[in-house]
Amino acid sequence: MAKDEKTSKAVASLASKALKDPKALTPAEIKKLAASALTQAPDKPAAAKKAPAKKAPAKKAPAKKAAAKKAPAKKAAKKASKK
């Protein structure tokens, strides 16, 4: 929020009107009033960014050996050759 921000007469009038009869405001007037209030609210302090936590290197599981391919059974080979 800047030091020189002040509520304008129009916005002060809207605020007064809203307090007296909230249903009397139009959506545009509500937006104007909300924008003024948000502009004049103090700025939030910047959150300190934390460095991401370093993860311990994951231990790799030993690689699984591929199963050796089996030779076709002799009986199956003989049946296939007879047909």
Side-chain angles (χ1 to χ4, degrees):
M1 177 174 115
K3 291 179 182 178
D4 62 339
E5 290 180 353
K6 295 181 182 176
T7 305
S8 68
K9 287 184 180 182
V11 173
S13 174
L14 286 175
S16 174
K17 183 178 176 183
L19 288 173
K20 290 178 184 174
D21 185 15
K23 293 181 181 179
L25 295 178
T26 65
E29 291 172 330
I30 293 170
K31 284 184 181 181
K32 186 185 263 188
L33 192 58
S36 176
L38 291 173
T39 302
Q40 294 180 35
D43 296 330
K44 289 185 177 180
K49 291 184 180 179
K50 294 181 180 179
K54 292 184 179 179
K55 294 181 182 177
K59 293 182 180 179
K60 293 185 179 179
K64 293 181 181 179
K65 293 182 181 178
K69 292 183 180 179
K70 294 181 181 179
K74 291 181 182 179
K75 288 182 182 179
K78 285 183 183 178
K79 286 182 182 178
S81 63
K82 287 184 180 179
K83 289 183 180 180

